[in-house]
């Protein structure tokens, strides 16, 4: 695809011409992943979208094979997972790839989201792209939660009990909703069955929303670290080989970390109690969700009332939907926003602190700290962002992407000493 949005695909063989006139899928793929123009200054933070796509496919493949050996029944589920680990050929690998893969998927999505916040990716005209992302995030959280219930260990059971019970806080219909979710009067076999069904379904729905996400991305084009829009053809490079090679390199590094955990610390992020079969008569001392829910869990428990906690927890995600309208700054990238840049890093630290607090018992100083950080989280989005955009003085932005990369001369390096000057015939003379 050219920078003006026109297809540059040229079918060469007679078969390519034949299929192009009937179902131009090769054209679509060529225009989207080969000739597609991307800003020439994308950094490694922009490789996580591609990594997420690969991770989603990997989760689906390992999940489908696991499902061939797993039994969704309260009496058999725990044992069937042990069977996968011990008796199925490479079952241990499949399971660890799927379980560690879920964590890695969330690592990637958090980097992807915070990258978006740093570079103002959610701003006009990418609001829909961002909102689709938040929908994907919510669906990922639901999928991860239901997946964790399937091994039917102690944390599966009690985590499911705590989280589903939250819905009982809804006035008037709360209890009815919870009974409906459970398919009975407690978390039991019908709950396991419906969670299994939905855990299988949701990733395919995520896949569908990802297609919309990437479609929206290809309509607006990508941002870039300067936040300055693409103006000329010189500002872009074709997706292949430039982005393909960069994405592949980042993916390989990501996979090395992934493999390290799969092969050396597969249970690092899991909870030991989940190796004990679910027992409805023994409540674990501390019920903790998986690490990627911990900041939200801390917000939930920071509020003294159950309903208030649930509202705050869902509110912490709801603010993300309206983020494009809360940030009033006309400048997109944090690189040129000296104050926002600092508040961004404070927010990152606050989220990490909330995550840590979510893993601690809800008592004493931990609760007080959770309240302070929860208040700050909402302050950041609801008060700071709208005001900052009005009062902050941004620093000078480059006139174009090319200028930011090659300097004002447009020939590389600083204007005083252009890179490659010696080799260039014009400057030699
Ligand atoms: C399965 C999950 C996801 C997949 C596969 C995915 C895929 C992608 C891809 C391939 C890109 C382009 C490359 C890049 O910029 O990294 C992208 C960009 C983007 N994504 Fe996602 N994404 C996912 C989740 C999310 C979430 C949860 C959000 C936000 C809440 C989000 C927001 C965005 C935004 C705003 C952009 C545009 C970035 C820019 O051009 O500045 N995505 N996504």
């Amino acid at each position: 695809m050219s920078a003006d949005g026109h297809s540059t695909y040229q079918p060469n063989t007679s078969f390519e011409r034949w299929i192009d006139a009937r179902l131009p899928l090769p054209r679509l793929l060529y225009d989207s992943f080969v000739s597609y123009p991307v800003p020439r200054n994308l950094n490694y933070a922009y490789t996580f979208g591609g990594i997420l796509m690969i991770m989603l496919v990997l989760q689906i493949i390992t999940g489908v094979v696991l499902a061939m050996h797993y039994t969704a029944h309260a009496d058999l589920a725990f044992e069937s997972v042990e069977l996968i680990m011990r008796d199925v050929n490479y079952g241990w690998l499949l399971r660890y790839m799927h379980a560690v893969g879920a964590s890695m998927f969330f690592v990637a999505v958090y980097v992807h989201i915070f990258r978006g916040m740093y570079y103002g990716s959610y701003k006009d005209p990418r609001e829909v792209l961002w909102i689709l992302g938040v929908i994907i995030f919510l669906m990922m959280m639901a999928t991860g939660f239901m997946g964790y219930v399937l091994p039917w260990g102690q944390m599966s059971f009690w985590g499911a009990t705590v989280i589903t019970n939250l819905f009982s806080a809804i006035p008037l219909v709360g209890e009815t909703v919870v009974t409906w979710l459970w398919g009975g009067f407690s978390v039991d076999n019908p709950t396991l069955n419906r969670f299994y069904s939905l855990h299988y379904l949701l990733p395919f729905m995520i896949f569908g929303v990802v297609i919309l996400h990437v479609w929206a991305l290809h309509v607006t084009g990508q941002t870039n670290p300067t936040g300055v829009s693409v103006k000329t053809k010189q500002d872009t490079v074709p997706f292949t080989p430039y982005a393909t090679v960069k994405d592949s390199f980042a993916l390989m590094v990501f996979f090395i970390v992934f493999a390290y955990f799969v092969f050396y610390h597969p249970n690092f992020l899991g909870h030991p109690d989940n190796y004990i079969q679910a027992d409805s008569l023994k409540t674990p001392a501390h019920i903790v969700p998986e690490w990627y829910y911990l900041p939200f869990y801390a917000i939930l428990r920071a509020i003294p009332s159950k309903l208030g906690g649930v509202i705050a927890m869902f509110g912490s995600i709801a603010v993300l939907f309206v983020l494009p309208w809360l940030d009033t700054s006309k400048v997109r990238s944090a690189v040129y926003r000296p104050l926002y840049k600092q508040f961004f890093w404070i927010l990152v630290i606050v989220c990490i602190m909330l995550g840590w607090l979510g893993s601690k018992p809800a008592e004493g100083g931990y609760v007080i700290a959770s309240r302070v950080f929860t208040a700050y989280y909402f302050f950041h989005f609801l008060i700071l962002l709208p005001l900052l955009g009005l009062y902050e003085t941004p620093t000078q932005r480059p006139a174009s992407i090319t200028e930011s990369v090659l300097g004002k001369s447009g020939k590389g390096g600083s204007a005083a000493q252009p890179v490659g000057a010696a080799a260039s015939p014009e400057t030699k003379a």
Side-chain angles (χ1 to χ4, degrees), residues 69-150:
H69 303 282
Y70 170 79
T71 312
H73 190 285
D75 296 337
L76 301 168
F78 186 82
E79 229 172 285
S80 77
V81 173
E82 280 309 299
L83 180 111
I84 290 171
M85 296 291 286
R86 290 158 201 266
D87 293 341
V88 173
N89 287 338
Y90 293 99
W92 60 271
L93 182 59
L94 273 175
R95 179 174 182 230
Y96 282 152
M97 278 176 74
H98 197 74
V100 177
S103 277
M104 294 298 289
F105 199 175
F106 275 94
V107 168
V109 92
Y110 282 130
V111 176
H112 191 66
I113 293 174
F114 280 106
R115 181 286 315 261
M117 288 185 187
Y118 191 80
Y119 292 122
S121 300
Y122 48 80
K123 290 190 182 194
D124 180 19
R126 296 180 185 78
E127 302 92 328
V128 172
L129 170 62
W130 172 261
I131 289 171
L132 287 167
V134 182
I135 293 172
I136 295 173
F137 181 51
L138 273 174
M139 290 167 84
M140 280 174 64
M141 300 236 272
T143 310
F145 165 66
M146 288 190 260
Y148 196 55
V149 177
L150 304 185

Side-chain angles (χ1 to χ4, degrees), residues 169-206:
I170 304 169
L172 302 174
V173 291
E175 293 296 335
T176 320
V177 169
V178 176
T179 311
W180 177 74
L181 283 175
W182 284 339
F185 298 101
S186 68
V187 172
D188 208 336
N189 195 45
T191 329
L192 177 61
N193 261 287
R194 62 194 54 196
F195 278 17
Y196 178 49
S197 165
L198 294 174
H199 182 71
Y200 206 129
L201 172 71
L202 272 169
F204 295 94
M205 292 175 66
I206 294 177

